[in-house]
Structures are given as structure tokens and as C-alpha cells.
């Protein structure tokens, strides 16, 4: 039994081999036959040969005279280039020969000439007068060709050339022909050409010339007996009206337009509707209210009641009509417009046409004298255009196309009550084309809804789960815009947006979990169905658009839901575009992941799945991924995680992997920064030298030599350069580093919030405390300014008193402290505490090493002032109660009158000024104001009154110097403000 089976299998293999041999034999015969028929004979080759010594002009003349049709066509196609390079000889010799050949030439040569004539006019290589004498006359002659295709081609040339010609030539040569062709005794084809020419000519003339020369012909063609001529002229009315202006349009164009909108032929009515839409921006409010709006309402009602074949065109233009007339419509008319649109969205869904209605009606003869509006009589062209079902489907298709415009017309607030039912109906429409049209505009609707976008979340999920992959593809093409609109809408609706950076919304974790929790399964379902199909383009597009989810979802949702799917696409045997799309997406997921552990794990998994894979295909794919990594991440991040892994592949056993690695070496050098990456630069140079010496593969050797040349041209960045010497890529790299740093900071803040949750009561207390601190700071600034003012006044008063008592004025030293009064007060208090003998001993000890009093800058930037030592105790300034009394007490204490009174008391309680000023010849001490100016004192000792100890010297606060002649070393402004009445300790008499 087994032997028989083996024998039968061998016979089958022999039969297959015989069939393959026969197929190969037939294929060879076909190839030989094709080659034989494609060869030219010696006579044909000789006939096609041209003398190489001829110049371009002579060669063109020779080919036009005795060449084949292929050679003539070649000459005509290069006519514009020939005239551009040899204008005089070409216009004198070649152009007349071309005009002669065109009379009896084939259609292909005629089409080549039409293209060449338009190109010559666009190049403006010859003057307009010369062009009108040569090329324009040829164009006008060929318009009257008997062949309708050739005539139509030359008419299109004339319409394109008109905008390059001056007005005089247009009026003399073109307008006269248009008027002649527009006469009633001419053929329909001529009158149609006249309508198109008038539409182009009207754009070049002014209002007076149009009204005088063009308008009579326009009126006659609008009333032509043939419906095609009326429809064609009706389409050109918008251009003529813009040339005329508003007032002539109201008097001459609008009456014709109203009459054409009531025409018995549907194609004329369609042209009238399109013209109305194009004229909306030109007409004023009064014309729209009195003429256009009633005309449009009547037109649409008649079409809906009679189920006219013009309904698809009405559905197509309805969005523009509503948007253009939205300013002029009343509330009742807006409600009518929305109701009419809802009827268009469900047109044909609840009724099935009868077989008689589905069949097209035979064409009927229409009397030209008929003035009644008969909707049932249709022109043959329009009647055969749609069947009943196609007309219904086209209505819904155009309604879905106009949905964003209608949302803008109704407003986002009224969407749920007015348009949501129609929107849901279009999403569930049985026709695939309708759903595709809606899916293409879904992102526009989501943007317009704003904070109300959550209303259409269910329809968004339904479209993602649609059975047709074409519908899913239409929605996925704008998935980033749609997701961004959803995130913005949810954030505005819940008022939980906390930041915005580069089109990236940083929203709370709770909001991210709620807004897209239902969308995630639908997105994964769309990806799985695309992966199961053979549509790899759609699959790669979906994976590429998944990268936008990194800005919409939380890191945990991305990591647990989408990362496994994307990695499965990378490691599975998929087409290369799918692999590349998955790699780009995984790079974005790694960049915007806000958890460092997950980022490290994703990098390790990417290296393990691709870099360390046994298949060389995935190792080569890892090198492609590194290109995306360089684009997405900063240089420091790439060098830390992937640089050495790429260098290791330079020793891969597979030549293709080494070849791909060699192409990346110049890019690797651009990622380095000195002196930080000096070690990596050495490793890179070592790898290049090793490959140059040891590589045996021919292609890899050529690639590494080219890479070495390119690396020599790369300049390694240096971190010590100034910002002026940075290149654009350096600023981009800095921006990437800032983004990565901000993500790390956000992660740390999130960890702190999860570790130390703040209760709601604490949040309210902290906010109240913040408000209180703000008010207290304002009060402190006010008190500080008042204190500085009073200190300045006191200092001036003390100087005046010193002058009056001593009879001389002390000079200020630039290096001394700003207030000498405070130093004197400090020395007086020291004398009151110490005995005189000890004071003199201290004077002798300090005389040999005089201490330096710190300057204002040093005192403010270095040690704290004695006025700021009591910061731990609650001060009266931080209390709201009594702040006004505090300010009044401070101002009373340091007023000029109070300072004068204290100085008088000081004179009565202290030693006399004459005793203090008794001096001996050899004993001096430095003045408190200037260290270089000595003064004499009694006792025969050299006294340095400036002490280095901050406890004995009262320094001035930031607001200004406040003289305190009888305050102890622990007294300060902050401690004195505990009571409304300041206490002053008097110094003891010596």
C-alpha cells in the first residue's frame, strides 16, 4: 500500500514538471515573438536617422517636413524650449511650419500643440502682440474644428490664455468672436463656447465695459431656447456679477437668476443654486433678506415635496447656504434649516422605492414656451444620473459631509437637542460611503463641540468597532486631532487641567482614567482586526497613530494595555512598514512615560527583543529603531542607554547588520559632547579602525570607508561653548533634555503626593494661611518704608544738633558706616556697662589692632543684623489686629520732635561735652565717621570706638538706619513692636 502511494506521488511530480517545462517553452516563444516584432528594419532605421551636424532649428524643420508622426510630435512638445533658446530663428522658421502641419495632423499632435501653446504663454518668452499675431490666430481657427474633441481642447487653451493677454487684444480679437458665436443662429456648441468665453472675459474688463459690451449678450443667453445653454450661462453669472458690482447685479443679474431658479429643467435649477451660493459674499443684507432667503426656502421645499433629482445637489450646497445666510436668518428660519437638514440625513431610510420609481423615466419633449414649473419633467442627462437608491444615498452622503458646517451653524450648546440624533443616524447608516464621509469629518465635529465633546464618545467607539475597515481607516487618519479634542473637552468640562506644554495636556490621573477608559478596548479591537486582515497599510497607520495616546492616557494604561500589543507587532513576522511604525510608537511611549522604572524596563525589553535576538532581521531592525531614538530623545539619554549597544553590532557575524551599522557611525558621532563623552568617542574611533583593518566583506569595506570620510567632516560639540555659538540642533537637544527633566520632576512630585496625601481641611488651611501671609508681607513693606523715612529724618536732626553743640560739622567717610549716630549710641551704652579702667584697657588692646567695621553690602549679605535675631518668636507685624496702632507708634517714636527730646535728655544725663573733648597732645583716637581722621580725648589713650562684635553695634535694617541711642544690644525693631508703646532703657551715668 505504501509503495503504491509513493508511486502515485512520483507520477504527480512528473506531471508537474512537464507542465512547468511547457509553460517555460511558451514563455520563451512569446518573448522571441515580442522582440522580433519590436525590431526595426534597416529602411526604417535609415528613415529615422538625422544628421548630427544639424542645429536645433534645422533639425526641427527637417523633422516637421519629412519626419514621422512620432518625430513631429517630439518637435511640437519641445517647441516652448526651442523658442526660449532661439526666439528669432524659431519664430521665423519653426512656428510657421508648425501652423502648417497642424491643419492635417492627427489628434495626438493637436493635443501636444495645445500644451505647447499654453506653456509659451505662461513663459512670456515673446511679446503679447507677437503671440496674438501667431499663436492666438491658430487657436481661434482650431476652435471651429469639426472634431468636437479637438474643438474642446483648443477652447480650453483659449480660456487659459486669456489671463495673459492685454485688454485691447481681448476686446479686439476674442470678444468679437464670443459675440458672434453667441447669436441664436449659431449651433448649440458655438453658443456653449460663447458662454465660457464670456465668463473668462468678464474677469479682465471693468464694470463699464461689461455693462456696455457683455451684459446684453449675457441676458440673451440666459433666455436661450436650449436648456444646456441656459445652464452654462447661469454658471457664469457669479463671475459676471463680481465684475459688475452690487447695484448692477441687483438690477440686471438677480431677476435672471430668480427666473432660472424656477426653470423647468433640473440642470438649470442646479446651476442657479450653485450661483446663489457663490454670490452670497457679494450681496448685502437687504438683498439676502428680501430675495435670496425666500427663494432658497421655496426652492428647497419644492424639491423635498416632489423628491426632486436636485436633492443631492441641495444636500451638497446646504452647508454653505446655512453658513452664508446665518447672519440674516431669523430664529424661525434657523429652526426650519435644522429641520430640513435632519430630513436630508434620514432621506430614504424609512421608505423603499417602488420598481416604477426606481426605473429612470424616458426623456420627454419640453416646450420652450412652457412657463409653469413642472418638476416631473427632467432633462435626460440629469434623469439618467441617479437612480432612486443612488439619489437617496447621495443625499445622506452629502449631509454627512456638511455635518461640521451644520454644527458650527447650530452651535455647540444646541448640538445635543438639534443635531445629535442625526449624527447618531449617520454613524449607523447602512451605506458604507455615508459612514466613511462622517468618519473623515469626525475630528472637525469634536473640535467644534469643545466641552460638550463627551456627547459623541459613544459614536466614536461605534465607529472604531465598525465592520468596515475603510470606515476605521477614515477615522484613524485624524485620530491625534480627535483624541486631543476629547482631552481638551474633558479637561474644560471637569476643570481639572493643571498645565499645558507643547500641545500636551497634563491632566490629573483620575480624569485620564475616566475619559478614555471606554475608548481603550475599541482602539485595541480596531488594531486586532487590522492585524488580522491583509491591509498592512491600515495596520501601520493605526500603530503610528497610537503614539498620540502617550499624551492622552496615563503611563500605567499605556504600559499595561498598549505596550504588549506594540511589542508583539515588533517581534512577529509582519511587513517592514508595520515593524517601523511599531518601533516609532514604542519610542514615543518610552519618552513620555512618567515612571522611571517602566522606562528602564521598556529600554531593556527593546534591547532584549531586537538587539539580542537570534535573527539578524531583528538586529538590523534595532539599528533602524536607533534612528528614531536619536530623533526623539536627547543625546545624553541615547548615549546612556543605546550607544554602546550599537557599537557592539559592528562585530556582528552577519554582513548586512555590519553594513547597516556602518551607515549609522557618522550619526553616532553627532550625539557626542566633549568632555563628557570622551570615552565614547574613543570607543567609536576604535571600532572604525578595527573595521578598516579587519573587515573582509567588499560592501562593508566600502561602507566603512565612506563612513570614515563622513565622520571626519563631523565636528564634535563642546559643552563649554557659549549660547551664541550653538547650532539649531543644540537648542533642540536642550529642549529635549528639559522635557525629560520635567517628566522626572513630575514623577517625583507624584510620588510625594501619593506618599503624603494632603486632606481637604489642610488644603483649605494652607490656602487661608497663604492669603494671610500675602497681606502680612504687604504690611511689612509699608512699615519698612515708613521706618526708612523716619530714620532719615532722625539722622538729619542729630547732625544739626551736633553742629549746634560743637560748632563744627563732621565729614562723612566713604568707607565708614552710613550712620555714625548709632555707633555713638552703642559706645555710650558700653561705657555705662563697663568700668572706666577696664574700658581704657580695652582701648589700649584695640589700638594696636584696629577692627574693621563691615560695609553695608557685607552686612546685608553676610551675618544677620541684631534686628533680625528674634525670628522664632511670633511678631506683632504678622498679626492683623493692631497693625494700624503699630505703625502709628513707630512713626511717633522716630519723629523729629521725639528725637530732639531724647537728645536733650541725653545731654542732661551724660558727661559734659567739654570733658569729652579734652585732649592731650599725644593721645588720639579715630573718629567714628572716618577712620583716617583722628580726634583727641581725655585720658591719654587711643580709643577705637568701632567694635567688630555685632552684638555691640546696632546696624541699620534694610529699610534704613534707625538711631537707638539708649537701646540695649538685644533690642530690635521686631522685638519692640510687641507693644504699642516702645520701652527705652536709659544708660547709667558714669
Amino acid at each position: 500500500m505504501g509503495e503504491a502511494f509513493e508511486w502515485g506521488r512520483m507520477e504527480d511530480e512528473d506531471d508537474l514538471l512537464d507542465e512547468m517545462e511547457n509553460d517555460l517553452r511558451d514563455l520563451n516563444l512569446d518573448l522571441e515573438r515580442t522582440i522580433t516584432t519590436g525590431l526595426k528594419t534597416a529602411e526604417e532605421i535609415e528613415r529615422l536617422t538625422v544628421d548630427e551636424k544639424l542645429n536645433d532649428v534645422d533639425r526641427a524643420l527637417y523633422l516637421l517636413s519629412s519626419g514621422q508622426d512620432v518625430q513631429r510630435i517630439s518637435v511640437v512638445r519641445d517647441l516652448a524650449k526651442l523658442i526660449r533658446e532661439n526666439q528669432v530663428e524659431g519664430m521665423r522658421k519653426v512656428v510657421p511650419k508648425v501652423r502648417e502641419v497642424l491643419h492635417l495632423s492627427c489628434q495626438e499632435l493637436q493635443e501636444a500643440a495645445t500644451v505647447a501653446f499654453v506653456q509659451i504663454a505662461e513663459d512670456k518668452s515673446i511679446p503679447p502682440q507677437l503671440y496674438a499675431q501667431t499663436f492666438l490666430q491658430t487657436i481661434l481657427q482650431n476652435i471651429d474644428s469639426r472634431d468636437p474633441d479637438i474643438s474642446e481642447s483648443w477652447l480650453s487653451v483659449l480660456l487659459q490664455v486669456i489671463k495673459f493677454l492685454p485688454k485691447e487684444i481681448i476686446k479686439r480679437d476674442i470678444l468679437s468672436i464670443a459675440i458672434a458665436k453667441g447669436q441664436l443662429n449659431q449651433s448649440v456648441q458655438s453658443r456653449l463656447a460663447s458662454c465660457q468665453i464670456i465668463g473668462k472675459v468678464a474677469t479682465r474688463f471693468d464694470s463699464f465695459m461689461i455693462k456696455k459690451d457683455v451684459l446684453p449678450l449675457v441676458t440673451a443667453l440666459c433666455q436661450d431656447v436650449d436648456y444646456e445653454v441656459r445652464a452654462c450661462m447661469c454658471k457664469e453669472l457669479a463671475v459676471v456679477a463680481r465684475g459688475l458690482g452690487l447695484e448692477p447685479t441687483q438690477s440686471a443679474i438677480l431677476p435672471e437668476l430668480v427666473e432660472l431658479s424656477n426653470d423647468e429643467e433640473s440642470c438649470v435649477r442646479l446651476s442657479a443654486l450653485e450661483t446663489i451660493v457663490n454670490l452670497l459674499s457679494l450681496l448685502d443684507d437687504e438683498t439676502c433678506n428680501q430675495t435670496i432667503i425666500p427663494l432658497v426656502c421655496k426652492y428647497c421645499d419644492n424639491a423635498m415635496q416632489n423628491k426632486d433629482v436636485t436633492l443631492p445637489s441641495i444636500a451638497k450646497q446646504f452647508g454653505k447656504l446655512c453658513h452664508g445666510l446665518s447672519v440674516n436668518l431669523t430664529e424661525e428660519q434657523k429652526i426650519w434649516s435644522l429641520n430640513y437638514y435632519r430630513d436630508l440625513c434620514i432621506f430614504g431610510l424609512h421608505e423603499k422605492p417602488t420598481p416604477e420609481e426606481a426605473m429612470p423615466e424616458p426623456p420627454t419633449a419640453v416646450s420652450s414656451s412652457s412657463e409653469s414649473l413642472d418638476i416631473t419633467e427632467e432633462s435626460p442627462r440629469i434623469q439618467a444620473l441617479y437612480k432612486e437608491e443612488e439619489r437617496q444615498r447621495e443625499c445622506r452622503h452629502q449631509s454627512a459631509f456638511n455635518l461640521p458646517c451644520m454644527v458650527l451653524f447650530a452651535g455647540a450648546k444646541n448640538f445635543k437637542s438639534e443635531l445629535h440624533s442625526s449624527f447618531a443616524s449617520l454613524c449607523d447608516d447602512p451605506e458604507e460611503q455615508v459612514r466613511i464621509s462622517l468618519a473623515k469629518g469626525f475630528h472637525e465635529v469634536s473640535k467644534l463641540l469643545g466641552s460638550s465633546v463627551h456627547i459623541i464618545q459613544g459614536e466614536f467607539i461605534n465607529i472604531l468597532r465598525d465592520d468596515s475597515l475603510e470606515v476605521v481607516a477614515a477615522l484613524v487618519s485624524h485620530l491625534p486631532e480627535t483624541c486631543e479634542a476629547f482631552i481638551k473637552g474633558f479637561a474644560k468640562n471637569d476643570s481639572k487641567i493643571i498645565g499645558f506644554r507643547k500641545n500636551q495636556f497634563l491632566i490629573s490621573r483620575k480624569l485620564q482614567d475616566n475619559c478614555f477608559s471606554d475608548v481603550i478596548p475599541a482602539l485595541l479591537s480596531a488594531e486586532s482586526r487590522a492585524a488580522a486582515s491583509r491591509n498592512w497599510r491600515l495596520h501601520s497607520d493605526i500603530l503610528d497613530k497610537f503614539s498620540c495616546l502617550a499624551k492622552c492616557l496615563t503611563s500605567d494604561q499605556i504600559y499595561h494595555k498598549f505596550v504588549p500589543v506594540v511589542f508583539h507587532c515588533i517581534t512577529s513576522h509582519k511587513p517592514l512598514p508595520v515593524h517601523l511604525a511599531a518601533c516609532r510608537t514604542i519610542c514615543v511611549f518610552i519618552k513620555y512615560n512618567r515612571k522611571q522604572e517602566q522606562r528602564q524596563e521598556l529600554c531593556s525589553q527593546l534591547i532584549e527583543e531586537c538587539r539580542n535576538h537570534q535573527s539578524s532581521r531583528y538586529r538590523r531592525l534595532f539599528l533602524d529603531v536607533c534612528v528614531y531614538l536619536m530623533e526623539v530623545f536627547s543625546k545624553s539619554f541615547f548615549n546612556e542607554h543605546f550607544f554602546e549597544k550599537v557599537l557592539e553590532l559592528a562585530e556582528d557575524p552577519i554582513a548586512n547588520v555590519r553594513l547597516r551599522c556602518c551607515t549609522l557611525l557618522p550619526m553616532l558621532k553627532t550625539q557626542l559632547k566633549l568632555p563628557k563623552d570622551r570615552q565614547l568617542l574613543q570607543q567609536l574611533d576604535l571600532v572604525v579602525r578595527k573595521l578598516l583593518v579587519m573587515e573582509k566583506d567588499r560592501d562593508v569595506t566600502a561602507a566603512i570607508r565612506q563612513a570614515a570620510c563622513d565622520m571626519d567632516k563631523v565636528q564634535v560639540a563642546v559643552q563649554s561653548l557659549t549660547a551664541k555659538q550653538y547650532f539649531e540642533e543644540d537648542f533642540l537637544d536642550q529642549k529635549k533634555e528639559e522635557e525629560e527633566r520635567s517628566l522626572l520632576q513630575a514623577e517625583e512630585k507624584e510620588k510625594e503626593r501619593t506618599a503624603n496625601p494632603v486632606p481637604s481641611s489642610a488644603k483649605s488651611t494652607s490656602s487661608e494661611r497663604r492669603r494671610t501671609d500675602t497681606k502680612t508681607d504687604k504690611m511689612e513693606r509699608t512699615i519698612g518704608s515708613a521706618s526708612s523715612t523716619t530714620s532719615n529724618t532722625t539722622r538729619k536732626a542729630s547732625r544739626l544738633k551736633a553742629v549746634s553743640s560743637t560748632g563744627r560739622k563732621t565729614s562723612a567717610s566713604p568707607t565708614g558706616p552710613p550712620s555714625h549716630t548709632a555707633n555713638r549710641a552703642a559706645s555710650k551704652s558700653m561705657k555705662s556697662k563697663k568700668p572706666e579702667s577696664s574700658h581704657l584697657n580695652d582701648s589700649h588692646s584695640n589700638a594696636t589692632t584696629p577692627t574693621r567695621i563691615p560695609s553695608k553690602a557685607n552686612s546685608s549679605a553676610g551675618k544677620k543684623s541684631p534686628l533680625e535675631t528674634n525670628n522664632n518668636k511670633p511678631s506683632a507685624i504678622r498679626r492683623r489686629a493692631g497693625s494700624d496702632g503699630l505703625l502709628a507708634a513707630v512713626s511717633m517714636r522716630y519723629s523729629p520732635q521725639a528725637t530732639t527730646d531724647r537728645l536733650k535728655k541725653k545731654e542732661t544725663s551724660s558727661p559734659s561735652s567739654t570733658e569729652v573733648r579734652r585732649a592731650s597732645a599725644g593721645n588720639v583716637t579715630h573718629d567714628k565717621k572716618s577712620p583716617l581722621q583722628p580726634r583727641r580725648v581725655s585720658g591719654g589713650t587711643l580709643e577705637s570706638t568701632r567694635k567688630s562684635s555685632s552684638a555691640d553695634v546696632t546696624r541699620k535694617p534694610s529699610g534704613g538706619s534707625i538711631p537707638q541711642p539708649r537701646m540695649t544690644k538685644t533690642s530690635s525693631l521686631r522685638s519692640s513692636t510687641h507693644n504699642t508703646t516702645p520701652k527705652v532703657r536709659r544708660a547709667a551715668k558714669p
Side-chain angles (χ1 to χ4, degrees):
M1 186 70 182
E3 294 179 358
F5 178 74
E6 291 291 337
W7 181 259
R9 192 179 66 176
M10 293 176 63
E11 289 182 352
D12 294 339
E13 291 178 355
D14 294 338
D15 295 338
L16 290 174
L17 290 174
D18 293 338
E19 291 179 2
M20 292 176 64
E21 290 178 358
N22 295 330
D23 293 340
L24 289 173
R25 192 180 299 108
D26 296 338
L27 181 61
N28 292 330
L29 291 175
D30 294 338
L31 290 174
E32 291 176 1
R33 192 179 300 111
T34 303
I35 294 172
T36 304
T37 55
L39 295 177
K40 301 294 183 182
T41 62
E43 296 178 358
E44 291 176 342
I45 294 175
E46 185 179 359
R47 205 181 309 133
L48 295 172
T49 304
V50 182
D51 189 5
E52 296 180 357
K53 296 181 180 180
L54 297 176
N55 57 19
D56 295 338
V57 177
D58 295 338
R59 185 184 298 108
L61 290 173
Y62 174 77
L63 294 177
L64 289 173
S65 302
S66 59
Q68 300 290 325
D69 290 340
V70 178
Q71 294 174 323
R72 292 174 181 172
I73 292 172
S74 175
V75 172
V76 173
R77 285 176 179 173
D78 296 336
L79 183 61
K81 181 180 178 182
L82 181 64
I83 292 176
R84 196 183 309 118
E85 295 175 354
N86 303 283
Q87 180 179 349
V88 178
E89 294 294 327
M91 292 298 298
R92 186 170 62 87
K93 296 180 179 180
V94 180
V95 173
K97 193 66 177 178
V98 171
R99 296 175 61 186
E100 180 182 349
V101 171
L102 283 177
H103 289 292
L104 302 175
S105 61
C106 60
Q107 184 176 356
E108 189 175 358
L109 183 61
Q110 296 273 353
E111 293 176 355
T114 57
V115 176
F117 282 20
V118 174
Q119 189 174 1
I120 292 170
E122 292 176 351
D123 293 343
K124 298 181 180 180
S125 55
I126 60 176
Q129 299 292 339
L130 183 59
Y131 188 91
Q133 294 174 5
T134 54
F135 297 103
L136 182 60
Q137 300 302 322
T138 305
I139 294 172
L140 295 176
Q141 291 174 4
N142 292 323
I143 286 177
D144 298 329
S145 177
R146 295 181 179 180
D147 190 347
D149 296 332
I150 295 177
S151 177
E152 188 175 355
S153 299
W154 285 105
L155 177 62
S156 65
V157 172
L158 178 62
L159 298 178
Q160 297 178 57
V161 165
I162 285 176
K163 59 184 178 182
F164 300 108
L165 299 176
K167 297 180 181 180
E168 296 79 10
I169 296 177
I170 295 174
K171 184 177 180 180
R172 184 187 70 232
D173 298 336
I174 299 177
L175 182 59
S176 58
I177 294 178
I179 295 174
K181 285 181 172 293
Q183 301 303 318
L184 191 59
N185 57 357
Q186 295 290 326
S187 63
V188 175
Q189 195 71 21
S190 298
R191 299 203 298 274
L192 290 173
S194 176
C195 296
Q196 298 180 41
I197 294 172
I198 287 174
K200 287 293 182 180
V201 166
T203 60
R204 301 299 311 276
F205 291 164
D206 55 3
S207 177
F208 176 77
M209 190 178 297
I210 294 174
K211 190 174 182 180
K212 178 182 178 183
D213 300 330
V214 179
L215 191 58
L217 181 60
V218 170
T219 305
L221 292 174
C222 286
Q223 300 175 0
D224 197 272
V225 294
D226 191 87
Y227 70 91
E228 292 182 356
V229 178
R230 296 198 302 272
C232 185
M233 191 64 248
C234 185
K235 291 180 181 180
E236 305 296 336
L237 286 180
V239 180
V240 177
R242 293 187 182 279
L244 282 172
L246 180 58
E247 295 182 359
T249 299
Q250 292 176 347
S251 60
I253 302 298
L254 280 183
E256 298 293 336
L257 187 59
V258 172
E259 185 177 354
L260 291 171
S261 64
N262 295 323
D263 197 272
E264 64 272 9
E265 295 293 337
S266 56
C267 65
V268 181
R269 298 198 299 274
L270 288 178
S271 301
L273 181 63
E274 294 176 1
T275 305
I276 289 172
V277 173
N278 296 329
L279 279 177
L280 289 178
S281 59
L282 177 65
L283 302 177
D284 57 353
D285 295 339
E286 183 180 359
T287 305
C288 291
N289 293 329
Q290 296 180 0
T291 306
I292 301 299
I293 294 177
L295 179 63
V296 169
C297 293
K298 180 182 178 182
Y299 184 93
C300 295
D301 285 336
N302 290 334
M304 182 63 73
Q305 290 175 4
N306 298 280
K307 296 181 181 180
D308 194 1
V309 293
T310 60
L311 275 176
S313 297
I314 293 176
K316 182 179 180 180
Q317 303 292 339
F318 198 75
K320 295 181 181 179
L321 283 171
C322 293
H323 181 68
L325 297 173
S326 59
V327 183
N328 308 106
L329 293 175
T330 62
E331 291 298 327
E332 295 180 357
Q333 292 169 345
K334 288 183 179 180
I335 294 174
W336 174 88
S337 301
L338 293 173
N339 292 333
Y340 194 88
Y341 177 75
R342 284 195 292 267
D343 294 338
L344 289 174
C345 291
I346 59 174
F347 181 68
L349 290 180
H350 304 295
E351 57 183 5
K352 294 184 180 180
T354 61
E356 292 78 7
E357 292 177 348
M359 293 296 293
E361 298 180 1
T364 57
V366 181
S367 176
S368 60
S369 60
S370 177
E371 297 180 357
S372 62
L373 181 61
D374 189 2
I375 304 297
T376 60
E377 296 179 353
E378 306 295 346
S379 58
R381 181 180 300 179
I382 297 298
Q383 199 173 40
L385 187 61
Y386 299 114
K387 293 183 181 179
E388 184 67 23
E389 294 180 358
E390 294 176 355
R391 190 163 69 242
Q392 294 171 358
R393 180 187 63 192
E394 189 66 19
C395 282
R396 300 196 301 273
H397 173 72
Q398 297 297 339
S399 299
F401 174 78
N402 282 319
L403 182 62
C405 188
M406 296 306 298
V407 173
L408 184 63
F409 173 73
K413 297 180 179 179
N414 301 324
F415 174 80
K416 187 174 182 180
S417 59
E418 300 292 342
L419 294 175
H420 184 253
S421 59
S422 301
F423 181 77
S425 175
L426 293 173
C427 289
D428 298 333
D429 196 272
E431 294 292 337
E432 181 182 359
Q433 293 298 325
V434 178
R435 301 197 304 273
I436 290 174
S437 179
L438 181 70
K440 288 181 178 179
F442 196 95
H443 65 289
E444 297 291 344
V445 177
S446 59
K447 289 179 183 178
L448 292 172
L449 289 180
S451 59
S452 303
V453 72
H454 63 278
I455 300 174
I456 61 173
Q457 184 175 356
E459 287 75 17
F460 181 57
I461 296 173
N462 291 338
I463 295 178
L464 285 173
R465 296 181 181 275
D466 196 275
D467 297 333
S468 175
L469 290 178
E470 297 296 330
V471 179
V472 178
L475 183 64
V476 168
S477 61
H478 297 283
L479 185 63
E481 295 93 330
T482 306
C483 293
E484 183 180 352
F486 270 96
I487 291 298
K488 287 182 179 180
F490 283 123
K492 292 178 182 178
N493 193 27
D494 293 345
S495 301
K496 291 187 178 181
I497 184 168
I498 62 175
F500 181 79
R501 183 181 68 248
K502 281 190 179 181
N503 299 327
Q504 175 188 359
F505 277 87
L506 304 176
I507 60 178
S508 63
R509 179 188 297 271
K510 181 179 179 181
L511 180 58
Q512 286 177 329
D513 291 338
N514 293 336
C515 65
F516 261 63
S517 58
D518 298 332
V519 180
I520 293 175
L523 291 170
L524 295 176
S525 174
E527 189 277 333
S528 63
R529 288 188 292 116
S533 67
R534 296 183 179 181
N535 192 351
W536 58 265
R537 291 182 177 85
L538 174 60
H539 192 200
S540 63
D541 194 18
I542 291 176
L543 291 174
D544 193 24
K545 295 300 189 296
F546 273 0
S547 60
C548 71
L549 299 177
K551 302 178 182 180
C552 304
L553 302 178
T554 61
S555 299
D556 292 333
Q557 289 174 335
I558 294 289
Y559 185 77
H560 295 293
K561 299 291 185 181
F562 291 93
V563 168
V565 175
V566 177
F567 265 114
H568 176 71
C569 295
I570 294 175
T571 57
S572 59
H573 296 282
K574 298 289 184 182
L576 183 60
V578 177
H579 282 294
L580 297 179
C583 292
R584 284 192 296 267
T585 301
I586 205 67
C587 293
V588 177
F589 284 170
I590 295 173
K591 179 178 178 62
Y592 291 104
N593 193 295
R594 301 177 66 179
K595 293 188 177 182
Q596 188 172 3
E597 298 177 357
Q598 294 180 0
R599 284 197 301 272
Q600 296 290 343
E601 188 172 351
L602 289 176
C603 293
S604 302
Q605 187 176 359
L606 184 62
I607 294 172
E608 184 65 27
E609 296 289 346
C610 296
R611 161 66 184 81
N612 301 332
H613 202 278
Q614 295 181 356
S615 176
S616 62
R617 175 186 181 185
Y618 293 99
R619 296 198 299 272
R620 192 176 185 279
L621 179 64
F622 175 76
L623 297 174
D624 295 333
V625 176
C626 289
V627 178
Y628 301 135
L629 291 170
M630 295 180 195
E631 295 175 358
V632 173
F633 290 97
S634 63
K635 297 179 180 180
S636 59
F637 184 90
F638 178 82
N639 295 339
E640 180 182 355
H641 294 87
F642 301 101
F643 192 91
E644 295 180 353
K645 301 297 180 182
V646 178
L647 291 182
E648 292 174 1
L649 291 178
E651 301 178 358
D652 195 271
I654 305 300
N656 286 334
V657 179
R658 300 197 304 273
L659 182 64
R660 181 69 176 118
C661 184
C662 291
T663 59
L664 290 182
L665 294 179
M667 298 178 64
L668 291 179
K669 190 174 181 181
T670 59
Q671 299 294 311
L672 301 177
K673 286 184 180 181
L674 294 179
K676 179 182 178 182
D677 300 328
R678 186 180 300 276
Q679 185 177 359
L680 296 178
L681 180 60
Q682 294 175 357
Q683 294 179 11
L684 180 62
D685 293 339
L686 182 61
V687 168
V688 173
R689 293 193 189 98
K690 189 174 181 180
L691 286 173
L692 288 172
V693 174
M694 302 180 61
E695 183 58 49
K696 298 180 180 180
D697 188 86
R698 181 179 58 186
D699 297 332
V700 180
T701 302
I704 189 61
R705 289 176 180 174
Q706 182 64 34
C709 296
D710 295 339
M711 289 175 65
D712 293 338
K713 301 176 183 178
V714 176
Q715 295 181 358
V716 182
V718 182
Q719 293 179 347
S720 60
L721 291 177
T722 59
K724 294 181 179 180
Q725 295 175 325
Y726 282 173
F727 296 100
E728 184 179 358
E729 58 182 8
D730 297 325
F731 289 110
L732 293 176
D733 186 66
Q734 287 183 358
K735 197 174 296 183
K736 293 175 184 178
E737 289 182 357
E738 291 176 0
E739 290 180 359
E740 295 167 4
R741 199 178 300 113
S742 63
L743 289 173
L744 291 175
Q745 294 175 358
E747 179 186 0
E748 293 176 358
K749 291 180 181 179
E750 188 174 353
K751 288 182 179 179
E752 292 177 359
R753 283 198 301 268
T754 55
N756 301 319
V758 181
S760 59
S761 59
K763 291 181 181 180
S764 61
T765 305
S766 62
S767 61
E768 293 177 0
R769 186 180 303 168
R770 195 179 300 111
R771 289 194 297 268
T772 305
D773 293 344
T774 304
K775 294 181 180 180
T776 307
D777 294 339
K778 292 181 180 180
M779 189 184 303
E780 287 180 353
R781 286 195 295 269
T782 305
I783 294 173
S785 61
S787 302
S788 62
T789 305
T790 55
S791 64
N792 293 332
T793 307
T794 306
R795 187 163 56 251
K796 290 179 181 180
S798 62
R799 288 178 181 175
L800 291 174
K801 184 67 179 177
V803 170
S804 61
S805 60
T806 60
R808 61 185 179 88
K809 185 176 180 180
T810 58
S811 61
S813 174
T815 59
S819 176
H820 64 280
T821 310
N823 294 332
R824 267 185 207 155
S827 63
K828 295 286 184 181
S829 61
M830 288 165 54
K831 290 179 181 180
S832 64
K833 289 181 182 180
K834 291 185 179 182
E836 188 176 357
S837 59
S838 62
H839 177 71
L840 293 176
N841 294 332
D842 293 339
S843 302
H844 281 292
S845 62
N846 292 332
T848 57
T849 58
T851 59
R852 172 180 279 177
I853 296 178
S855 63
K856 178 180 178 182
N858 295 332
S859 62
S860 61
K863 298 181 181 179
K864 290 186 178 181
S865 173
L867 299 177
E868 302 176 358
T869 56
N870 197 13
N871 292 334
N872 295 327
K873 297 181 181 180
S875 61
I877 298 178
R878 299 185 66 86
R879 296 178 303 184
R880 296 184 62 182
S883 59
D884 298 335
L886 171 66
L887 183 61
V890 172
S891 60
M892 288 176 59
R893 179 182 178 188
Y894 299 111
S895 61
Q897 184 64 32
T899 305
T900 306
D901 296 340
R902 283 196 298 273
L903 291 175
K904 288 180 180 181
K905 293 180 182 179
K906 173 184 174 183
E907 290 177 357
T908 57
S909 61
S910 61
S912 61
S913 59
T914 56
E915 292 178 355
V916 174
R917 287 197 298 270
R918 283 202 306 264
S920 58
N923 299 326
V924 297
T925 183
H926 293 286
D927 187 17
K928 297 178 180 60
K929 193 68 177 177
S930 175
L932 302 179
Q933 183 179 358
R935 67 181 180 85
R936 300 185 181 276
V937 296
S938 61
T941 61
L942 185 64
E943 177 186 1
S944 175
T945 58
R946 285 189 293 271
K947 300 294 181 179
S948 61
S949 175
S950 61
D952 296 336
V953 180
T954 304
R955 301 172 184 173
K956 82 166 190 175
S958 60
S961 176
I962 301 177
Q964 300 179 10
R966 289 175 177 81
M967 292 179 66
T968 60
K969 65 179 180 179
T970 59
S971 63
S972 62
L973 176 62
R974 190 179 298 275
S975 61
S976 65
T977 55
H978 284 291
N979 299 321
T980 56
T981 305
K983 296 181 180 180
V984 180
R985 182 177 295 176
R986 301 180 182 276
K989 295 182 180 181

